[in-house]
Amino acid sequence: MAYLQPVRGTHDLLPDDLRAQRFVQDTAAAIALRYGFEEMTPPVFEFTDVFQRTLGDTSDIVTKEMYTFDDRGGDSITLRPEFTAGIARAFMSNGLQQSVPVKFFARGPVFRYERPQKGRLRQFHQVDVEILGVPGPQADIEVIAVGAHLLLELGVADDVTLEINTLGDTESRQTYRETLVEYLTAHKSKLSEDSLKRLEKNPLRIFDSKNEGDREVMAEAPLLQEYLNDHSRTFFDDVLQGLADVGVETNINPQLVRGLDYYSHTAFEFVTTTLGSQGAVLAGGRYDGLMEQMGGRAMPGIGWAAGVERLAMMVGDAAPTKRPVAIVPVGAPAAREAMKIAQTLREDGYHVDLGYSGNMGKRMKRADKVNAIASVILGDDELAKNVATVRDMLSGEQAEVPLSDLREHLAKYR
Ligand code: ATP
Ligand code: MG
């Protein structure tokens, strides 16, 4: 009965998993808002062309990883493998060219047919920010700063470093490309089959290869940095200076690339050594040529996406939880009163756990299990006096509180 297992690479997010992931997502939404990003959500699936045209025929995602199918109407549909393409499509569909700059935050599940392992899933989640319509380095600085701020707020900044590079403008890349192709052609015999294909269409992407032979060749390859024109060099210097100004540390990695033609200038990745081989937690870059590639008017853009599962693993159980007030009734009359008290407190905004059955010991155990911040104990004695015993679960101190003062007494636990 294989169907009683989730599909390989997918997971049930039980409350403990979801708590950490919500923390990551909600923190990201809140920090992004501080930087002026507003949340939007593109659909989970799009016409296949949306991804095919933007991600390019040679990317890993398009060649190996997309969940693509024909729907009942015969359209080729793909479950989104990332957010940027869908957001760019939404930008055009909604005529937002008139309202630039546009700053979007998005979150949700994405799908890639990959070999599942720790930190690599087939359904995973991303948080994503994009700025559309800003050609200058301020956008690059802001987009990277919001990422750095998120990692700081999640408490993982010390375990992460920012690697950054520039891909220059089209002119710089053109000059460089010729030199690179010449070099690679001379070393053809050592390249993998995948990379031989990329050599024609997309030679920069070979820097991204995980193949041993490719890596050896690329270690000696000429670097784009040496071919930058003045504009590209100044642009990169401005980005680096701006990041220094806002206190973001950078490590220049001249081999970091995004291999598609519509990428330009800034490329970056926040990486960690704490997650084994799945070290990239947040990655992005400038994609000034993307809108044209999709058939729209030229429009600069820059953004990043972060893996929620990878960040949640780094956060571990440090995600804050809301501790409830536990109501612990003993005996039938008290149970009835407890229900009424719980209702009043809940209407008041308290987070209340109500033990359903069992003796006092069993119910107190439940109060511990739900990590209650305070317990309200109600037995026959208490009922007779119209009071409750309130136990502070941190200090263990108990106080007898008249039922009429209960809300006031509990205020500090809200
Ligand atoms: P990798 O090199 O690990 O395959 P990528 O370059 O494919 O990453 P991007 O497309 O830049 O990743 O996606 C942004 C982020 O999404 C990554 O930095 C990572 O944190 C996360 N991510 C990518 N693929 C997966 C996956 N299969 N499972 C979980 N998280 C992922
Ligand atoms: Mg990948």
Side-chain angles (χ1 to χ4, degrees):
M1 293 204 286
Y3 66 86
L4 291 182
Q5 295 297 319
V7 173
R8 195 163 125 82
T10 70
H11 284 282
D12 300 307
L13 299 177
L14 296 177
D16 284 341
D17 309 309
L18 202 53
R19 185 171 304 123
Q21 293 196 20
R22 278 260 173 268
F23 175 58
V24 169
Q25 293 195 12
D26 292 347
T27 306
I31 298 289
L33 195 60
R34 280 198 221 171
Y35 286 73
F37 292 85
E38 287 191 290
E39 184 159 0
M40 64 84 70
T41 312
V44 170
F45 52 84
E46 299 266 358
F47 290 120
T48 299
D49 275 346
V50 169
F51 305 111
Q52 193 124 31
R53 278 169 176 262
T54 53
L55 297 169
D57 299 336
T58 57
S59 71
D60 280 354
I61 293 184
V62 169
T63 53
K64 303 179 204 152
E65 298 175 359
M66 292 202 311
Y67 277 92
T68 297
F69 59 95
D70 287 342
D71 71 7
R72 287 167 194 272
D75 288 317
S76 179
I77 299 294
T78 294
L79 301 185
R80 67 177 175 218
E82 54 114 55
F83 275 96
T84 310
I87 291 176
R89 197 272 309 136
F91 179 84
M92 293 193 271
S93 313
N94 293 283
L96 299 180
Q97 292 91 338
Q98 313 307 325
S99 350
V100 293
V102 163
K103 295 167 73 176
F104 283 147
F105 168 80
R107 56 172 140 185
V110 292
F111 306 85
R112 296 184 191 178
Y113 192 81
E114 301 207 64
R115 197 164 66 79
Q117 49 199 295
K118 185 178 169 235
R120 191 172 292 286
L121 307 162
R122 289 183 175 175
Q123 174 176 340
F124 62 104
H125 298 76
Q126 285 186 337
V127 287
D128 182 286
V129 304
E130 311 287 348
I131 298 184
L132 296 160
V134 182
Q138 306 101 310
D140 307 53
I141 296 160
E142 197 171 45
V143 152
I144 295 173
V146 68
H149 196 153
L150 168 61
L151 298 170
L152 191 70
E153 195 79 9
L154 293 176
V156 304
D158 286 347
D159 289 325
V160 171
T161 54
L162 167 60
E163 304 207 338
I164 188 166
N165 192 22
T166 179
L167 305 173
D169 60 8
T170 316
E171 184 191 85
S172 305
R173 257 192 332 280
Q174 218 103 58
T175 330
Y176 168 67
R177 194 186 156 115
E178 286 160 27
T179 319
L180 181 64
V181 170
E182 208 170 290
Y183 168 84
L184 291 171
T185 311
H187 293 81
K188 243 179 166 170
S189 60
K190 287 195 202 152
L191 291 178
S192 68
E193 214 168 292
D194 275 351
S195 289
L196 287 174
K197 274 185 223 148
R198 294 182 187 121
L199 180 54
E200 310 282 308
K201 283 191 174 166
N202 209 339
L204 256 79
R205 189 129 210 147
I206 304 180
F207 278 110
D208 246 352
S209 171
K210 283 155 191 155
N211 175 283
E212 268 310 306
D214 291 348
R215 279 184 172 287
E216 268 172 44
V217 175
M218 296 322 278
E220 306 287 317
L223 294 170
L224 195 145
Q225 299 235 318
E226 291 143 36
Y227 296 82
L228 294 178
N229 58 19
D230 286 347
H231 167 67
S232 302
R233 190 167 296 286
T234 308
F235 193 102
F236 193 41
D237 287 344
D238 288 350
V239 171
L240 294 176
Q241 184 59 54
L243 288 171
D245 289 345
V246 297
V248 175
E249 269 180 53
T250 50
N251 301 290
I252 297 176
N253 174 355
Q255 301 219 351
L256 179 72
V257 296
R258 315 222 112 204
L260 304 171
D261 284 346
Y262 58 80
Y263 281 113
S264 54
H265 298 294
T266 316
F268 59 94
E269 212 166 78
F270 286 86
V271 293
T272 182
T273 52
T274 63
L275 295 177
S277 48
Q278 268 50 261
V281 292
L282 186 157
R286 179 170 275 282
Y287 48 84
D288 289 350
L290 179 124
M291 295 287 187
E292 265 178 307
Q293 178 106 2
M294 290 185 88
R297 178 144 70 72
M299 181 63 65
I302 178 163
W304 54 250
V308 171
E309 281 78 359
R310 291 188 195 176
L311 287 173
M313 270 196 279
M314 292 187 78
V315 168
D317 48 19
T321 55
K322 183 98 177 127
R323 299 180 65 176
V325 170
I327 314 256
V328 184
V330 185
R336 210 175 140 200
E337 187 61 30
M339 194 64 105
K340 289 198 296 193
I341 292 174
Q343 186 65 28
T344 323
L345 291 174
R346 285 166 174 162
E347 283 168 3
D348 238 24
Y350 286 90
H351 184 154
V352 178
D353 185 82
L354 190 54
Y356 296 119
S357 63
N359 58 21
M360 169 87 178
K362 200 170 157 201
R363 291 189 195 210
M364 285 308 291
K365 244 188 222 151
R366 172 160 175 96
D368 271 334
K369 189 172 163 249
V370 299
N371 198 22
I373 186 133
S375 294
V376 177
I377 302 160
L378 267 183
D380 292 340
D381 293 351
E382 279 91 356
L383 269 193
K385 289 194 277 178
N386 246 332
V387 299
T389 302
V390 176
R391 180 188 297 181
D392 183 302
M393 301 295 275
L394 285 173
S395 65
E397 270 170 40
Q398 297 201 155
E400 197 166 89
V401 181
L403 289 182
S404 52
D405 295 349
L406 196 55
R407 280 161 68 177
E408 210 169 300
H409 185 88
L410 291 174
K412 63 180 174 223
Y413 299 116
R414 186 136 54 178

